[in-house]
Amino acid sequence: MSAFIGVLALILGALFAIWPYLGWYLRLGWRLKDAEPSDLALSVDRILGVVLVIIGLILIVSSCSTGSQSNHTWAEQFKKKLDAGQVKEISIGMFNPTTLSEEETNTVVQLIQHAELRPFDTGNAFGSSNAGKITFMDGLSVELVIWGSSGGIELHPDATQTKYEIMSEELKEWFTTNYSEE
């Protein structure tokens, strides 16, 4: 919705900045008979047009790049990459990482595909029992945190994005059985 309002503000702002008489007429002139705007009124409408263009650009950019929608989109894109078989490897371990076998990778990917990715805020809590990394064919990698601050298996896309808990008891059991550092 904010993108639509942004486009509307951009168009109106451009019209007012280029043709300030149109802005004056739409704002006030239609109510007056045989009136002409002053130079000050035209200048105000031109400035108003520039301000509307700036506001429109801000609304358009912000609707495309921030908010819960972009976080939701990240989770969808992540799942699509999993579905497309784009996982290159999964490694587990903080200091001497172990690369999962193809069979183990397929099992973990399948468990993640069927799980809900629930966004959560880590707050000031840090730490984990173990960590790893999911690396995709295109070079993108996502940190996999095992028993992190949520108490479960987590995905940490990067420092600026929302963290996700993978809501899968089967995945928790799999990591407990195969890669527990206890």
Side-chain angles (χ1 to χ4, degrees), residues 76-152:
E76 288 176 356
Q77 290 173 345
F78 177 80
K79 289 252 186 157
K80 283 181 184 177
K81 283 186 165 200
L82 293 179
D83 293 341
Q86 294 182 12
V87 174
K88 181 178 179 182
E89 70 179 22
I90 299 176
S91 58
I92 304 296
M94 292 187 206
F95 302 109
N96 294 318
T98 303
T99 301
L100 272 57
S101 69
E102 186 175 338
E103 181 182 334
E104 290 175 317
T105 297
N106 290 338
T107 300
V108 170
V109 166
Q110 200 171 42
L111 291 171
I112 295 172
Q113 283 174 317
H114 298 312
E116 173 191 355
L117 300 181
R118 183 177 296 165
F120 76 99
D121 182 17
T122 58
N124 292 330
F126 297 100
S128 65
S129 171
N130 205 344
K133 183 168 52 170
I134 300 173
T135 305
F136 291 96
M137 301 288 187
D138 62 3
L140 175 75
S141 63
V142 177
E143 186 180 1
L144 183 66
V145 177
I146 303 165
W147 315 125
S149 60
S150 71

Side-chain angles (χ1 to χ4, degrees), residues 144-176:
L144 183 66
V145 177
I146 303 165
W147 315 125
S149 60
S150 71
I153 313 296
E154 303 168 4
L155 294 172
H156 292 215
D158 66 33
T160 62
Q161 290 187 315
T162 300
K163 313 305 185 225
Y164 294 87
E165 182 179 2
I166 303 169
M167 305 304 294
S168 170
E169 289 302 318
E170 293 87 4
L171 186 63
K172 289 179 184 179
E173 289 172 22
W174 190 90
F175 274 110
T176 299

Side-chain angles (χ1 to χ4, degrees), residues 12-24:
L12 283 174
L15 289 173
F16 288 9
I18 295 169
W19 296 293
Y21 182 84
L22 175 66
W24 173 83

Side-chain angles (χ1 to χ4, degrees), residues 21 24 32-39 41:
Y21 182 84
W24 173 83
L32 306 171
K33 189 173 187 169
D34 298 329
E36 290 296 319
S38 66
D39 289 340

Side-chain angles (χ1 to χ4, degrees), residues 31-100:
R31 291 186 267 176
L32 306 171
K33 189 173 187 169
D34 298 329
E36 290 296 319
S38 66
D39 289 340
L40 177 63
L42 292 176
S43 296
V44 167
D45 284 318
R46 182 163 278 144
I47 291 169
L48 175 66
V50 171
V51 169
L52 281 172
V53 166
I54 293 169
I55 290 171
L57 289 172
I58 290 170
L59 287 171
I60 292 168
V61 169
S62 69
S63 72
C64 296
S65 63
T66 62
S68 62
Q69 182 62 31
S70 70
N71 291 331
H72 184 66
T73 302
W74 184 90
E76 288 176 356
Q77 290 173 345
F78 177 80
K79 289 252 186 157
K80 283 181 184 177
K81 283 186 165 200
L82 293 179
D83 293 341
Q86 294 182 12
V87 174
K88 181 178 179 182
E89 70 179 22
I90 299 176
S91 58
I92 304 296
M94 292 187 206
F95 302 109
N96 294 318
T98 303
T99 301
L100 272 57

